[in-house]
């Protein structure tokens, strides 16, 4: 999915919601345990209940890898269940020397070899350009580079000053030379709303993947105040508040209610910004 197609989905669905699919077996509704693959059934029912309200899904691959081969098969089958009109994010935070990154890229982008072809993958920038470049060789595929994350430990490195720039600012400035806004997005946590004006100065046209709204305490309105651009430019992720809205047989229905509340808030924001 290219940038214009993504914006068209945002306009059509009146939403820039991304739903994180991070299932934990112990948190699943108990009635799903009768299925051969309870996590797959959980994901499928969530997708069926919410796909008209969101523009993206983001499975964090760690929640699947922890279950070995069976978990990886669940990830593949989850990808196969995604509707074609949603943007898909493999949240794997990969990044290694070039030939290894090339294999990671093939794992998430080449359906012929891995049975999956996500639209994007999250990548850690610490090892530099040659660790990121292999992901950029795929047409209409995206790198979502970690810039300023929502976790407490982000201050250990990301906001440290060097040469009159914070490290996350250097990441954005340097990586903008590797790819334009048609292929590069950045992860920016919703718990850092005071930084969005600065980030938009550095990356005015790029989409930002924004975790941290909901359970982590981030504010949607605060993010949008300085985060929106002329093509929306935001994918706001919510996971726990949606997927664990209920632990009963009505879990998918309750997940839809949570997603709908966010979508309606997003519609108001998009309307006020004259983007729809």
């Amino acid at each position: 999915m290219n940038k214009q197609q993504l914006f068209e989905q945002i306009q059509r669905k009146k939403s820039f919601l991304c739903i994180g699919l991070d299932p934990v077996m112990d948190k699943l509704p108990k009635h799903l345990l009768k299925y051969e693959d309870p996590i797959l059934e959980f994901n499928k029912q969530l997708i069926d209940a919410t796909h008209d309200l969101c523009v993206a899904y983001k499975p964090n691959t760690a929640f699947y890898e922890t279950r070995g081969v069976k978990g990886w098969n669940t990830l593949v089958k989850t990808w196969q269940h995604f509707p074609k009109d949603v943007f898909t994010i493999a949240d794997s935070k990969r990044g290694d020397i070039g030939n290894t990154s090339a294999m990671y890229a093939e794992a998430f982008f080449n359906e012929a070899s891995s049975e999956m072809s996500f639209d994007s993958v999250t990548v850690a920038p610490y090892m530099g350009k040659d660790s990121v470049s292999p992901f950029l060789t795929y047409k209409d595929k995206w790198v979502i580079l970690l810039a300023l994350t929502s976790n407490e430990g982000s201050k250990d490195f990301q906001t440290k000053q060097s040469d009159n720039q914070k490290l996350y600012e250097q990441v954005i400035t340097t990586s903008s030379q590797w790819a334009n806004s048609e292929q590069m997005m950045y992860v920016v946590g919703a718990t850092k709303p005071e930084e969005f004006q600065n980030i938009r100065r550095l990356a005015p046209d790029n989409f930002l993947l924004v975790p941290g709204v909901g359970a982590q305490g981030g504010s949607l309105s605060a993010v949008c105040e300085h985060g929106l651009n002329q093509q929306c430019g935001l994918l706001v992720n919510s996971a726990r508040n949606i997927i664990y809205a209920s632990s009963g047989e009505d879990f998918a229905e309750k997940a839809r209610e949570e997603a709908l509340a966010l979508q309606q808030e997003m519609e108001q924001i998009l309307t006020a910004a004259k983007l729809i």
Side-chain angles (χ1 to χ4, degrees):
M1 185 180 294
N2 62 37
K3 188 178 180 183
Q4 180 59 33
Q5 290 169 332
L6 178 55
F7 182 44
E8 288 170 358
Q9 287 300 319
I10 289 170
Q11 291 180 305
R12 184 172 71 81
K13 294 183 175 179
K14 301 179 176 62
S15 171
F16 46 98
L17 175 61
C18 172
I19 296 178
L21 295 176
D22 307 340
V24 176
M25 186 69 79
D26 291 345
K27 294 184 178 181
L28 296 189
K30 300 306 180 190
H31 73 282
L32 296 180
L33 299 181
K34 65 184 179 183
Y35 289 91
E36 181 180 355
D37 188 340
I39 286 179
L40 178 61
E41 185 63 25
F42 181 68
N43 286 350
K44 288 168 68 173
Q45 290 193 36
L46 288 170
I47 293 165
D48 291 347
T50 61
H51 67 84
D52 60 319
L53 302 174
C54 68
V55 294
Y57 288 103
K58 183 180 72 66
N60 185 317
T61 61
F63 288 78
Y64 302 86
E65 292 170 299
T66 189
R67 300 179 65 241
V69 173
K70 185 173 182 179
W72 195 259
N73 287 336
T74 299
L75 180 63
V76 171
K77 291 175 182 177
T78 296
W79 177 83
Q80 291 170 344
H81 194 73
F82 288 137
K84 298 303 181 185
D85 67 343
V86 296
F87 187 80
T88 56
I89 302 168
D91 187 7
S92 59
K93 302 177 181 67
R94 297 298 199 256
D96 207 326
I97 60 173
N99 60 345
T100 305
S101 279
M103 294 297 101
Y104 283 141
E106 187 167 349
F108 294 112
F109 289 159
N110 187 346
E111 186 176 359
S113 65
S114 69
E115 300 182 83
M116 297 183 293
S117 182
F118 282 86
D119 292 301
S120 62
V121 61
T122 56
V123 177
Y126 189 77
M127 291 184 68
K129 181 179 180 179
D130 58 339
S131 70
V132 177
S133 296
F135 297 96
L136 296 169
T137 62
Y138 290 79
K139 179 178 172 57
D140 290 338
K141 300 294 186 181
W142 297 78
V143 163
I144 307 181
L145 208 64
L146 301 179
L148 183 60
T149 56
S150 57
N151 61 304
E152 178 65 22
S154 64
K155 66 179 183 294
D156 291 341
F157 299 111
Q158 296 168 20
T159 57
K160 297 295 186 185
Q161 291 275 353
S162 175
D163 297 328
N164 297 316
Q165 271 194 316
K166 296 174 182 177
L167 180 59
Y168 85 82
E169 294 174 330
Q170 294 181 43
V171 167
I172 295 173
T173 301
T174 301
S175 64
S176 66
Q177 302 171 42
W178 306 341
N180 61 24
S181 64
E182 298 285 339
Q183 270 196 297
M184 185 77 76
M185 300 187 189
Y186 296 101
V187 175
V188 181
T191 55
K192 308 291 194 304
E194 68 280 359
E195 298 285 352
F196 272 81
Q197 188 170 12
N198 184 43
I199 287 165
R200 275 298 177 220
R201 177 180 61 82
L202 299 170
D205 300 322
N206 298 77
F207 264 85
L208 308 177
L209 174 62
V210 185
V213 167
Q216 294 183 57
S219 164
L220 179 60
S221 60
V223 165
C224 292
E225 182 178 358
H226 297 296
L228 286 174
N229 65 17
Q230 292 304 305
Q231 287 187 303
C232 181
L234 296 173
L235 295 175
V236 172
N237 183 76
S238 181
R240 284 171 283 177
N241 277 25
I242 293 176
I243 69 173
Y244 298 131
S246 169
S247 60
E249 294 189 11
D250 63 347
F251 78 94
E253 178 185 341
K254 294 300 182 182
R256 180 176 177 82
E257 290 177 8
E258 291 292 328
L260 179 61
L262 275 172
Q263 182 274 323
Q264 290 175 336
E265 187 177 354
M266 289 174 175
E267 181 176 354
Q268 292 176 351
I269 290 169
L270 290 168
T271 300
K274 298 182 179 179
L275 293 174
I276 56 175

